[in-house]
Amino acid sequence: MKEAGCDDESTNGVVVMVEPYSQTEQIQHVIYRILDANLDRAREGLRIIEEWCRFGLNNAQLALECKHLRQEIANWHTPQMRAARDTLGDAGTELSHPQEEQRANIKSLLQANFGRVQEAMRVLEEYGKLTHPNMGKAFKQMRYRVYTLESTLLGYQRHQLLLRSRLYLVTSQSENLLSTVEAALKGGLTLLQYRDKTADDTVRLEQAMKLRQLCHSYGALFIMNDRVDLALAVDADGVHLGQQDMPIAIARQLLGPQRLIGRSTTNSKEMQGAIADGADYIGVGPVYETPTKVGKAATGVEYVSYAAKNCPIPWFAIGGIDPNNINEVIDAGAQRVAVVRSLMEAEQPTLVTQYFLSQLYRVKANA
Ligand SMILES: Cc1ncc(COP(=O)(O)OP(=O)(O)O)c(N)n1
Ligand SMILES: Cc1ncsc1CCOP(=O)(O)O
Ligand SMILES: [Mg+2]
């Protein structure tokens, strides 16, 4: 800010005090500087997000929304705001937080930039109200568009990762729960379901939270078995629901469109129902009888062949699948499988994961 009253000019030896900037002008100048800095900040953040939508996800629609937002922001950037810029005199240019120097992965890079854009828009909304009657309203609307963009982008990334996942580990109770899961993640696992039918909710919550963090640190998806409430509580990527669990429509209302919902199916009728209800993926089985699901009749590989010909959404053959019969399941048409004991009871879960994946990647994915 210019110091008030310090400018003077000499005319014919007579010192004439130049009218200092009025207080109103000084404040206006400061507001323009704030608006200028935050208009730039919002555009820069959006550009970083746009590059990922365009080159990382090949998603023209999301990239276009970033571009439209950037253009709309640019329309508010007036010459007076640009003229108020004083980079050398800006005490904030040297300030940076250690967290800004590090980004663990794309997810945290995107999160940081969404945060930056939303913060800048909030500043523009508030200070904009002092400058133009419509600026506050315009930036409020844009801020909500950015929230929607963030949630759409997250949902899109989840679906993409689901499509890429060939192996699904469903957990069982184990003293080595975390180390076994981590070993599988090291072998390339990208999809995990936490399943514990008997533990207290306090234990489930604690384990689910740890597993979600672990999965996300490896860039894998984390799904909660049976419980929509726990899925929300630990910010899971989705939930797996059986035929006796909550109806998909209600789960969808609670979870929103961006989280994944899986459904168990044992026959064509259940498969068609799950698809009609909007499941993101289905379980197909138990293919073989299994002590993990006592009393549930095996469907045989015939149902796997039926799914291969008729299921348009991602599906996972499940039930009694192990390294000895995986090729029989693949020959029946499976491209994705889910297992419990084969990994939870493996001596070397990393190697078994790698073996399963090597077999499953031999076949091309359709859905
Ligand atoms: C991938 C996958 N498929 C099927 C199931 C079984 O779900 P459900 O029938 O609800 O039985 P429980 O797992 O709740 O005992 C599953 N969990 N995952
Ligand atoms: C939960 C579930 N649903 C159908 S089969 C099954 C259990 C599969 O376990 P395993 O891989 O140990 O046979
Ligand atoms: Mg269930």
Side-chain angles (χ1 to χ4, degrees):
M1 195 191 297
K2 281 213 184 229
E3 237 176 74
C6 66
D7 285 351
D8 61 16
E9 243 173 41
S10 297
T11 324
N12 296 332
V14 182
V15 175
V16 178
M17 293 301 290
V18 170
E19 187 63 23
Y21 285 101
S22 72
Q23 186 136 18
T24 318
E25 281 170 334
Q26 287 176 47
I27 290 173
Q28 189 57 59
H29 182 76
V30 172
I31 293 170
Y32 280 159
R33 282 184 73 192
I34 293 172
L35 294 176
D36 173 62
N38 283 281
L39 285 160
D40 276 350
R41 190 171 297 150
R43 284 224 309 277
E44 283 162 14
L46 276 165
R47 185 71 200 218
I48 290 164
I49 296 162
E50 184 178 326
E51 300 299 45
W52 179 250
C53 296
R54 183 174 162 198
F55 298 109
L57 304 176
N58 282 323
N59 189 317
Q61 215 183 329
L62 290 176
L64 199 63
E65 172 64 350
C66 293
K67 194 174 176 174
H68 284 156
L69 280 161
R70 281 195 299 112
Q71 281 164 350
E72 238 172 275
I73 296 169
N75 291 340
W76 286 98
H77 215 155
T78 63
Q80 292 100 311
M81 292 173 196
R82 289 182 202 282
R85 186 173 311 175
D86 175 14
T87 313
L88 289 177
D90 182 351
T93 53
E94 299 288 304
L95 300 179
S96 89
H97 192 277
Q99 270 175 1
E100 284 177 32
E101 306 299 323
Q102 288 172 359
R103 301 278 182 241
N105 48 40
I106 293 291
K107 196 176 171 202
S108 64
L109 178 144
L110 291 171
Q111 257 170 1
N113 281 285
F114 270 113
R116 191 165 162 228
V117 173
Q118 284 150 10
E119 254 174 44
M121 287 192 165
R122 194 77 173 97
V123 174
L124 291 163
E125 184 184 330
E126 289 303 319
Y127 285 92
K129 287 176 195 165
L130 300 170
T131 305
H132 190 286
N134 294 333
M135 196 166 174
K137 223 183 295 162
F139 275 93
K140 186 175 183 170
Q141 278 168 5
M142 275 190 258
R143 194 158 52 81
Y144 283 113
R145 273 170 66 190
V146 173
Y147 289 134
T148 308
L149 179 70
E150 185 176 17
S151 125
T152 311
L153 181 58
L154 190 65
Y156 182 80
Q157 305 228 93
R158 278 187 182 129
H159 278 90
Q160 290 298 106
L161 188 49
L162 173 70
L163 282 174
R164 287 210 316 271
S165 298
R166 298 296 186 99
L167 180 64
Y168 190 177
L169 169 56
V170 180
T171 67
S172 55
Q173 272 188 349
S174 162
E175 279 180 11
N176 308 317
L177 179 62
L178 280 134
S179 59
T180 306
V181 168
E182 181 153 23
L185 291 166
K186 283 190 173 139
L189 183 82
T190 48
L191 182 57
L192 179 88
Q193 179 188 137
Y194 172 49
R195 177 178 184 267
D196 187 329
K197 306 295 286 186
T198 55
D200 290 347
D201 277 3
T202 47
V203 175
R204 280 193 244 207
L205 262 176
E206 196 185 318
Q207 300 286 46
M209 193 71 89
K210 285 185 187 156
L211 286 169
R212 195 265 291 150
Q213 278 163 359
L214 183 62
C215 287
H216 286 186
S217 73
Y218 279 82
L221 294 168
F222 174 73
I223 305 289
M224 186 77 208
N225 176 257
D226 287 346
R227 297 279 297 275
V228 173
D229 56 343
L230 296 186
L232 283 169
V234 302
D235 192 21
D237 294 298
V239 71
H240 186 91
L241 301 169
Q243 296 291 324
Q244 270 75 48
D245 299 321
M246 182 184 280
I248 294 178
I250 296 178
R252 184 62 77 199
Q253 272 179 16
L254 296 168
L255 292 172
Q258 315 301 352
R259 279 185 230 259
L260 303 169
I261 300 182
R263 184 68 139 187
S264 315
T265 72
T266 55
N267 55 52
S268 58
K269 191 164 171 260
E270 288 175 0
M271 174 190 290
Q272 299 312 331
I275 295 164
D277 291 345
D280 294 295
Y281 75 86
I282 57 168
V284 164
V287 182
Y288 306 106
E289 253 182 48
T290 167
T292 315
K293 195 78 189 157
V294 182
K296 189 122 180 165
T299 63
V301 289
E302 293 72 24
Y303 183 45
V304 173
S305 303
Y306 177 86
K309 292 189 190 90
N310 297 287
C311 190
I313 61 171
W315 55 276
F316 293 82
I318 185 170
I321 299 172
D322 62 33
N324 295 317
N325 61 22
I326 175 92
N327 282 308
E328 190 179 26
V329 183
I330 290 173
D331 289 347
Q335 296 159 345
R336 300 182 180 87
V337 301
V339 298
V340 180
R341 286 166 305 144
S342 289
L343 281 173
M344 291 307 296
E345 293 174 15
E347 276 181 22
Q348 294 187 295
T350 305
L351 285 184
V352 180
T353 301
Q354 286 168 338
Y355 176 72
F356 276 137
L357 288 174
S358 70
Q359 299 308 299
L360 290 159
Y361 279 125
R362 289 193 294 114
V363 281
K364 202 171 161 286
N366 288 329

